[in-house]
Amino acid sequence: DTAVSQTPKYLVTQMGNDKSIKCEQNLGHDTMYWYKQDSKKFLKIMFSYNNKELIINETVPNRFSPKSPDKAHLNLHINSLELGDSAVYFCASSQLRSRPSGANVLTFGAGSRLTVL
Amino acid sequence: SQQGEEDPQALSIQEGENATMNCSYKTSINNLQWYRQNSGRGLVHLILIRSNEREKHSGRLRVTLDTSKKSSSLLITASRAADTASYFCATHGGSGNTPLVFGKGTRLSVIA
């Protein structure tokens, strides 16, 4: 039973297209994240939602728009795709509240590899 | 800004040997975590050490933390081929709204 699941696992598309990646977690966590991992394996936070509320929004182009319909889902929509958007996008979740201060352990999905041609 | 920097970038050892990876960070932290990433998979949490702890063990893993030097090390004893993966340190700066910041990782290859 997958804890954090992302779809699709692979996505190949042309420049200029719009695409979405979906994420769902069944852990009952209150916080979800999107991270981007580039070709050099550097993992960078993009967004974080806590109970459907945006709490972290790093410097990400406006073409990226996250949506959280409920606390178990966090989707990522990308408009006007560019070559530089090619990367692996990871969804993660954690239980932020009701934890000892700072004990924010993330559970990751398997990743969605986006290739923009 | 990126906090964790792992060292070395890549490490290749024989099965049965110990592997040591280091992580340095820049600012004050609440805790430091280590994650493993197998090729083509997501990251998996290994161990968390709090800022008031100096050493922690979990099975074949040993983590140390030196807040005065802003550094941590991960030791994997008696390595196995299955330990081949990338290992990332991640730091958490404070309040719940601060993100977990990852380093660039150490690529460990354990040769059978």
Side-chain angles (χ1 to χ4, degrees), chain B residues 96-109:
Chain B
N97 287 0
T98 57
L100 202 58
V101 178
F102 287 83
K104 292 183 180 178
T106 291
R107 172 72 189 164
L108 173 66
S109 298

Side-chain angles (χ1 to χ4, degrees), chain A residues 9 35 37 41-43 45 55-56 90 96-97 100-106 108-110, chain B residues 2 30-31 33 35 37 40-43 45 48 50 88 92 96-100 102 104:
Chain A
K9 188 169 174 64
Y35 278 83
Q37 188 173 46
K41 303 293 186 186
F42 178 42
L43 203 66
I45 180 74
I55 60 171
I56 294 172
F90 285 98
L96 202 54
R97 310 298 181 210
S101 177
N104 189 23
V105 174
L106 271 57
F108 280 82
Chain B
Q2 179 189 349
N30 199 313
N31 65 71
Q33 304 176 33
Y35 286 77
Q37 184 181 29
R41 311 289 280 276
L43 280 76
H45 177 256
L48 178 151
R50 298 186 192 285
F88 295 85
H92 189 225
N97 287 0
T98 57
L100 202 58
F102 287 83
K104 292 183 180 178

